[in-house]
Amino acid sequence: MLQVEHITKRFEQIVALDDISCVIPDGCIYGLVGSNGAGKSTLLRTICGIYRPDSGEVRFDGHDVFSEPAVKADLVFVPDDLFFLPNATPLRQSKLFRAVYPQFDEARFAELLQAFRLPYDRPIQSFSKGMKRLTATALALAARPKLVLFDETMDGLDPVMRHVVKSVLAADVLERSASAVCVSHSLRELEDLCDQLALFHGGKLLMERDITSLKNDAFKAQVAFDHPVTREDFKDLQIVQFQSQGSVATIVGSGDRAEAEATLRAMKPLLLDLLPLTLEEVFLFELQTKGYDRLSIFGGDGK
Amino acid sequence: MTALFHRGMYGETLRRLRTPALFMLVLATVFDAFPLVMRVSRLSNVAYLSGTVHFDAVHFSLYTIPFIVVPILMLVTFRYQHRRAPSDLYFSFPLSKAALTVSQLCAVLTWTAIIVLGSSLVIACLCLLPVNHTVCGLRVGEVLLSVGGSLTASLFMAAVFNLAVSLCGTTVNTLFAASLILFAPRLVCYALNSLVLECCPMLPPQSTTVALDALMGNLLYGGYGSLTVWLSTLVKIVLLLALSVWAATRRPTEIAGQAAVHPALHIAFRTAVGMLLSLPAVGQIVTFEAFSFGMTSEALSFGMTSSLNLMTVTFYYLNALVGYYVYELITTRKAMGLVKATLWLPLLILVNVLMIGGCLLTEQVICHTTCDPASVSRVELRAVTYRTEVSTMDGEYGYEAFEETWFDGLTVMDEYGIKSPFFYRSRQYAQSQAPHTPLTGKESRELVCKALSRTLEYHDSVASVYDVYRLAYLTEEAKADGSAYVYSIDVVIHDGWIARSRRIGVTAKELTVLLGELKEAGTLPDHFINAVR
């Protein structure tokens, strides 16, 4: 289990991480989303002991990651800016990992290279961006860590390989009860992968939620009545967003999905359609309920 | 041990350095083997030749390995710390920063040892192999000393680079920092020392340079045969290694790509560059100030007016400024850095003021420190220097007519035709014997204190020690016959707990009094005393 306790990290005048606390249990895939410069990568680098926090501490299985680096044998970081030894092949790079990670599994590495359709003995320099990321992912997973930290996990991967990587990662979590932290700009990318999601902005952790409860606690409905309706007609619901055109209304609300459906049916609408909510929508609406301005967090288009 | 050394990382670094290290091994061997083979083959027409080869003369690479091989291997190994991506990878590994540094340093040293020993073995074999009846011998002790010296110098260089890597965030800065650590203290100390010596002719050069050599000397500059240099180097290695490992553990990873681990350190490096480049200007100012102080009309009549060449000083300071700003541009690659550098320019000015002030203050203290025969417990005679002056055609005494002969007393004996056994003619003999007999007699103590006061008095009014002799000792009679003999002697004056080394002027008569006491003590052979008389 990873415990991040009140960590703060400054770079001269810039506060990159501002009193961050979170817990990542075993067997959990934890998604981190946020705009550029939000502090996501800094958090990952602090978690794996690259950066020393100015205050607070990161504990992995009860050990302080920075002062007890041996604990990092169970913790592998795949950064967004990848580095491989000059002229190294996957085989050569695996020797470096084998030298420092005692649990490095060569058979697993070969298996992963095969799954990712990567050559064993070609210089990594000649690989495409996606192939390099797959090589780094294979190396990280072959080290058999208890926690893998992925920065921009799917960057440069084609849809097929995204699916393969997600499957491999999910299998690892299931089989070995390993955990993963995945950082991305895109909520859609993490939607079908993560168990928990956290939103970062300005070095702060704005919110952290379990995905299942997040989805169950929100609903989007389109209802039509035989008379014009206003927001006041739905005062029994916790409405986040309301749009109406005469007798037709689109409602986005928070609260139990089943209860909201029952309440709406009791109003005897001509039409009731419960629409699927994307995680992004849920997240944004959730932020709105907490009083954050979505535009300031995700930029002009609100994504 | 696990905290300081990681076998996996050591092996991995050995593997990573294999190609450049093997290339340098071949280069170091061929570089010396080729001329050696050529030299031996030229002797093929000699029926039989035997002799002993000086190993360091035929295997010159031993001197160059610490200067070339070690920095290259260190930079190849630790370059990852200067870029974010590799730095992230290495520092995410499950080992401490100390273990990472020490393991990689050990790998560099292992390859260096392989290069030194491997090339030495080949060269030694080539020396010993009989080629066309030519047999050359090798002194085993000399070989071991050369190889050991080269290895220790390499360790010293590796420690310096390790410290530089730990203090900097870019390769260029690391090179600058390593150069500063290696050369700056030595350069500044020797430069300031020579300035003080130049301003204070009553200070024997050995009195400070011996201590400086012990303090600043290291095996990089040779001196494999000197125990002092070995000890000095070993002490520095221990200190540098401890400091560099400590700095490595404290080094923030995020400085990869930045100039130095701390802004203050960057300012210090930049000021050091400016300081080194302004040393010539400091020299000009110090020597002018020291010599112009108390200049008398008598001195002026000798043409001793020293003028400060403002153009030269301005040129040197401009040079220092250019270096100061160029360093900033090279290391930060930001134009804004020049503004910051300008804000810190007063620091460079302060350092210059301190250097000039320090030299002049030292000069003033030395030039005004006399001795009291009552408190002087003993005087040791260290060296005797003989000078003669002849008049010029126009009857004036000038530098062009100045002739000097350095001697140790026994050279004079030869000049006078007194033959002595070879051993007694050695300079070392006279200089090693005299200090064993401290002069404690009242007459000698009074004479030395009086001579010191006289030397200081005349120094205050003239620019050169030569003029001290001329003004103080040359009698009208001596001038009239066109020659005079004046001795300058190096003495150590023991005044309570303090021992002061001074070079003072005495006449031949005065020197005879001092040597007379030595003779009475039976320390120096009679013929030495007689020769001086």
Side-chain angles (χ1 to χ4, degrees):
Chain A
M1 185 172 70
L2 181 82
Q3 294 162 282
V4 176
E5 294 168 359
H6 303 288
I7 59 166
T8 299
K9 178 72 185 168
R10 287 186 191 83
F11 296 117
E12 293 179 4
Q13 304 304 317
I14 300 161
V15 182
L17 298 176
D18 188 2
D19 194 27
I20 304 292
S21 294
C22 59
V23 175
I24 300 168
D26 292 342
C28 166
I29 301 182
Y30 192 89
L32 270 178
V33 284
S35 54
N36 292 329
K40 309 179 297 286
S41 301
T42 305
L43 178 66
L44 290 198
R45 287 186 170 85
T46 312
I47 288 174
C48 67
I50 296 172
Y51 292 166
R52 180 186 216 138
D54 296 328
S55 63
E57 60 179 15
V58 179
R59 302 186 77 81
F60 186 66
D61 286 346
H63 302 278
D64 180 27
V65 170
F66 201 86
S67 59
E68 296 173 72
V71 77
K72 291 198 285 185
D74 285 326
L75 209 154
V76 179
F77 175 46
V78 183
D80 58 338
D81 187 10
L82 298 169
F83 171 76
F84 300 98
L85 296 172
N87 304 316
T89 60
L91 179 65
R92 171 70 186 88
Q93 193 74 13
S94 73
K95 284 181 182 170
L96 169 64
F97 271 64
R98 197 175 51 201
V100 288
Y101 289 105
Q103 291 145 205
F104 189 83
D105 187 339
E106 280 178 82
R108 173 72 174 152
F109 181 61
E111 205 177 283
L112 287 168
L113 284 187
Q114 206 168 17
F116 296 154
R117 294 176 207 158
L118 292 170
Y120 210 75
D121 50 4
R122 237 179 68 190
I124 301 173
Q125 274 179 338
S126 65
F127 285 8
S128 70
K129 186 181 174 185
M131 288 165 85
K132 283 179 182 169
R133 187 149 292 278
L134 287 171
T135 309
T137 306
L139 285 163
L141 294 176
R144 293 290 187 191
K146 285 185 185 169
L147 175 66
V148 202
L149 306 161
F150 287 108
D151 200 351
E152 298 299 341
T153 331
M154 308 298 170
D155 190 23
L157 300 188
D158 61 56
V160 177
M161 276 305 152
R162 279 175 193 231
H163 181 72
V164 174
V165 169
K166 283 180 183 178
S167 309
V168 167
L169 196 56
D172 237 41
V173 170
L174 280 174
E175 284 168 21
R176 302 192 301 112
S177 200
S179 312
V181 178
C182 302
V183 160
S184 179
H185 289 100
S186 166
L187 267 166
R188 284 193 198 103
E189 198 175 278
L190 302 176
E191 192 168 359
D192 52 348
L193 181 68
C194 299
D195 304 308
Q196 280 192 40
L197 268 178
L199 178 66
F200 254 73
H201 181 63
K204 287 185 176 163
L205 187 62
L206 296 189
M207 60 176 288
E208 185 191 24
R209 287 289 295 275
D210 181 69
I211 283 194
T212 319
S213 70
L214 198 66
K215 280 190 168 175
N216 286 339
D217 285 354
F219 64 91
K220 186 178 182 181
Q222 207 169 41
V223 282
F225 293 90
D226 53 2
H227 53 86
V229 284
T230 62
R231 194 180 176 119
E232 288 301 307
D233 298 321
F234 302 94
K235 59 187 175 197
D236 293 339
L237 298 172
Q238 288 175 284
I239 297 173
V240 177
Q241 196 179 58
F242 181 83
Q243 281 179 326
S244 71
Q245 276 188 323
S247 58
V248 179
T250 306
I251 305 161
V252 178
S254 61
D256 187 77
R257 194 182 174 89
E259 281 177 22
E261 188 182 354
T263 308
L264 285 170
R265 285 203 186 282
M267 292 171 75
K268 299 201 171 35
L270 294 175
L271 174 80
L272 169 62
D273 201 1
L274 280 169
L275 302 170
L277 263 173
T278 64
L279 191 62
E280 201 161 296
E281 283 173 309
V282 177
F283 226 79
L284 292 172
F285 295 136
E286 185 81 9
L287 278 172
Q288 252 179 311
T289 59
K290 286 179 183 288
Y292 291 108
D293 175 14
R294 55 190 275 187
L295 291 180
S296 73
I297 296 170
F298 287 101
D301 61 354
K303 286 183 181 175
Chain B
M1 274 306 281
T2 48
L4 269 179
F5 185 78
H6 190 277
R7 207 169 54 182
M9 183 49 72
Y10 170 73
E12 166 56 34
T13 314
L14 279 181
R15 197 181 300 133
R16 194 149 63 87
L17 291 175
R18 191 168 47 198
T19 309
L22 286 176
F23 175 72
M24 282 186 276
L25 170 64
V26 171
L27 215 63
T29 311
V30 171
F31 181 77
D32 287 333
F34 186 69
L36 185 65
V37 170
M38 291 294 286
R39 206 182 302 172
V40 171
S41 62
R42 265 190 234 120
L43 299 171
S44 57
N45 56 345
V46 180
Y48 183 80
L49 180 84
S50 70
T52 306
V53 174
H54 288 292
F55 191 65
D56 55 350
V58 291
H59 193 11
F60 190 71
S61 295
L62 287 179
Y63 290 106
T64 55
I65 284 170
F67 279 103
I68 297 170
V69 172
V70 176
I72 291 174
L73 291 182
M74 286 298 285
L75 286 178
V76 169
T77 306
F78 289 99
R79 204 167 150 252
Y80 70 89
Q81 297 197 8
H82 302 146
R83 286 180 296 149
R84 190 169 130 173
S87 168
D88 280 358
L89 178 71
Y90 276 91
F91 288 112
S92 70
F93 287 152
L95 58 159
S96 66
K97 285 182 177 177
L100 192 63
T101 304
V102 172
S103 313
Q104 292 180 327
L105 184 65
C106 286
V108 170
L109 293 172
T110 305
W111 272 119
T112 308
I114 291 170
I115 293 168
V116 169
L117 296 172
S119 59
S120 298
L121 189 69
V122 173
I123 299 297
C125 288
L126 280 175
C127 289
L128 293 172
L129 274 177
V131 183
N132 295 332
H133 312 292
T134 303
V135 178
C136 299
L138 276 176
R139 290 194 188 99
V140 178
E142 200 178 81
V143 173
L144 291 177
L145 195 69
S146 300
V147 170
S150 181
L151 284 173
T152 313
S154 298
L155 180 58
F156 177 74
M157 185 61 104
V160 168
F161 263 82
N162 203 35
L163 181 60
V165 164
S166 305
L167 297 179
C168 300
T170 65
T171 305
V172 173
N173 267 55
T174 303
L175 282 170
F176 267 117
S179 308
L180 285 174
I181 296 167
L182 267 179
F183 305 116
R186 190 178 165 86
L187 203 62
V188 171
C189 287
Y190 275 102
L192 296 184
N193 177 58
S194 64
L195 274 181
V196 170
L197 286 176
E198 198 176 328
C199 298
C200 306
M202 69 293 296
L203 213 57
Q206 314 86 286
S207 64
T208 52
T209 44
V210 170
L212 260 184
D213 286 343
L215 196 68
M216 295 290 154
N218 64 58
L219 291 169
L220 279 177
Y221 310 108
Y224 293 172
S226 163
L227 183 65
T228 320
V229 174
W230 272 87
L231 285 175
S232 169
T233 311
L234 290 172
V235 168
K236 281 174 204 161
I237 287 171
V238 172
L239 290 176
L240 281 168
L241 281 178
L243 191 63
S244 64
V245 173
W246 177 80
T249 58
R250 307 290 303 169
R251 182 183 188 273
T253 318
E254 56 266 30
I255 68 137
Q258 292 175 28
V261 287
H262 196 277
L265 201 62
H266 177 59
I267 293 167
F269 285 148
R270 190 178 54 210
T271 309
V273 170
M275 180 182 78
L276 290 179
L277 291 173
S278 60
L279 277 175
V282 170
Q284 289 272 323
I285 294 170
V286 167
T287 46
F288 169 74
E289 288 296 331
F291 290 156
S292 62
F293 186 82
M295 188 82 76
T296 61
S297 57
E298 200 168 11
L300 292 170
S301 71
F302 280 115
M304 292 307 302
T305 45
S306 172
S307 64
L308 182 66
N309 191 334
L310 279 175
M311 282 295 287
T312 312
V313 172
T314 310
F315 171 75
Y316 285 141
Y317 271 129
L318 279 177
N319 197 29
L321 271 183
V322 169
Y324 180 82
Y325 283 116
V326 165
Y327 174 83
E328 179 65 29
L329 270 182
I330 290 174
T331 54
T332 62
R333 283 167 286 173
K334 289 176 191 163
M336 269 306 285
L338 296 181
V339 179
K340 284 185 185 171
T342 308
L343 293 175
W344 283 98
L345 211 50
L347 182 65
L348 181 60
I349 296 169
L350 179 71
V351 169
N352 269 266
V353 169
L354 286 176
M355 284 195 295
I356 294 166
C359 284
L360 292 176
L361 186 70
T362 311
E363 186 252 350
Q364 285 300 305
V365 170
I366 291 168
C367 292
H368 289 91
T369 307
T370 53
C371 65
D372 177 13
S375 64
V376 170
S377 55
R378 64 185 194 277
V379 175
E380 288 165 15
L381 185 62
R382 288 290 164 96
V384 179
T385 307
Y386 167 76
R387 296 171 191 283
T388 179
E389 286 191 356
V390 290
S391 61
T392 54
M393 289 299 285
D394 57 4
E396 293 293 327
Y397 288 85
Y399 286 118
E400 51 278 282
F402 193 85
E403 182 190 316
E404 62 176 340
T405 310
W406 290 88
F407 94 120
D408 61 9
L410 295 171
T411 311
V412 171
M413 184 177 72
D414 287 342
E415 280 177 359
Y416 281 77
I418 302 170
K419 301 299 173 194
S420 62
F422 177 77
F423 177 73
Y424 293 113
R425 268 194 281 157
S426 80
R427 175 185 182 147
Q428 286 78 8
Y429 177 75
Q431 296 204 4
S432 66
Q433 289 302 303
H436 290 311
T437 308
L439 305 169
T440 52
K442 191 184 173 193
E443 196 181 2
S444 299
R445 286 185 284 126
E446 278 176 350
L447 192 150
V448 166
C449 288
K450 191 176 149 197
L452 175 64
S453 300
R454 199 167 48 197
T455 307
L456 295 177
E457 182 192 337
Y458 278 93
H459 166 73
D460 243 10
S461 57
V462 291
S464 160
V465 69
Y466 305 132
D467 300 293
V468 173
Y469 304 133
R470 183 158 49 219
L471 290 170
Y473 303 110
L474 291 191
T475 58
E476 286 306 316
E477 293 76 24
K479 284 181 185 176
D481 70 10
S483 66
Y485 297 111
V486 176
Y487 297 88
S488 79
I489 59 171
D490 292 352
V491 290
V492 179
I493 304 164
H494 291 268
D495 192 347
W497 289 99
I498 303 165
R500 291 191 196 92
S501 285
R502 291 291 183 268
R503 174 166 289 175
I504 54 177
V506 288
T507 59
K509 195 179 167 188
E510 287 170 333
L511 182 60
T512 311
V513 173
L514 297 177
L515 295 177
E517 191 178 333
L518 280 179
K519 187 188 174 187
E520 280 168 23
T523 305
L524 294 182
D526 285 349
H527 54 251
F528 173 77
I529 309 295
N530 293 333
V532 176
R533 275 183 183 150

